[in-house]
Amino acid sequence: MTTVQEQTMSDLGQLDYRPRKSRIGAWIGAAVAFGGFTALSFTLGAQTFEGGAITWPDQAAMIGLGVIGAGISLSFLRLRVRADAKGIEVTNVASKRYFPWQVVTAVNFTDKMTWATVELADDDEMSIMALQVSDKERAVAAVKHLRALLEQSRS
């Protein structure tokens, strides 16, 4: 946090930020989903309660569900925010958008927010899921860096 405060406006460099805690959670979630469904596929009996048979395609489908669950969990590894003197690029789970500083009016991150948002000139707002409250001081430092880049672009 002190590195951002010590820099002058002309010394600000690029920001390339990825969250820590959600990345750890994504890997754990993927391991649990894949491991759980794989284990479940091998613990199924040979017959159901109604007398139906459980075959190897059923087990393969169960493992496939684990792969899908792990893939969904790993999509949270995409979270990232990049910014430089020209603009800000926000990569969320399902989208990636670039905004030049001319269309950005503010970067918001208050106590009651789960993640930061970028406010746009057309009264639209986009979440910056990479800047999460769970990363505490690290996320606050990144928001301060973004705000300083925004101010630098206006001068």
Side-chain angles (χ1 to χ4, degrees):
M1 196 158 110
T2 57
T3 57
V4 173
Q5 292 171 346
E6 292 173 3
Q7 293 176 337
T8 63
M9 292 299 270
S10 61
D11 292 340
L12 282 173
Q14 293 182 350
L15 174 71
D16 189 0
Y17 182 88
R18 290 177 177 252
R20 276 199 187 130
K21 297 206 175 166
S22 68
R23 292 175 65 79
I24 294 167
W27 282 109
I28 291 171
V32 167
F34 180 72
F37 276 97
T38 300
L40 182 63
S41 74
F42 288 110
T43 59
L44 295 173
Q47 282 191 332
T48 64
F49 290 115
E50 289 86 27
I54 296 175
T55 61
W56 70 267
D58 298 322
Q59 289 178 314
M62 194 67 91
I63 294 171
L65 287 174
V67 169
I68 291 170
I72 291 169
S73 181
L74 290 176
S75 69
F76 283 88
L77 295 176
R78 285 179 39 93
L79 301 180
R80 175 183 234 160
V81 61
R82 292 180 183 169
D84 57 16
K86 296 177 184 175
I88 180 172
E89 179 184 72
V90 178
T91 306
N92 288 336
V93 173
S95 66
K96 183 177 191 175
R97 302 268 316 264
Y98 177 80
F99 304 105
W101 288 121
Q102 292 79 16
V103 300
V104 176
T105 58
V107 177
N108 301 318
F109 193 43
T110 63
D111 306 3
K112 300 177 192 237
M113 299 172 99
T114 305
W115 46 70
T117 60
V118 60
E119 192 175 307
L120 305 173
D122 63 355
D123 292 330
D124 199 7
E125 199 173 68
M126 182 170 181
S127 297
I128 306 174
M129 294 177 70
L131 297 172
Q132 302 175 2
V133 71
S134 62
D135 280 339
K136 299 177 184 165
E137 290 85 19
R138 214 173 147 256
V140 170
V143 169
K144 286 181 180 180
H145 194 131
L146 286 175
R147 288 176 179 163
L149 284 170
L150 177 60
E151 284 302 314
Q152 179 182 352
S153 74
R154 293 180 178 167
S155 57

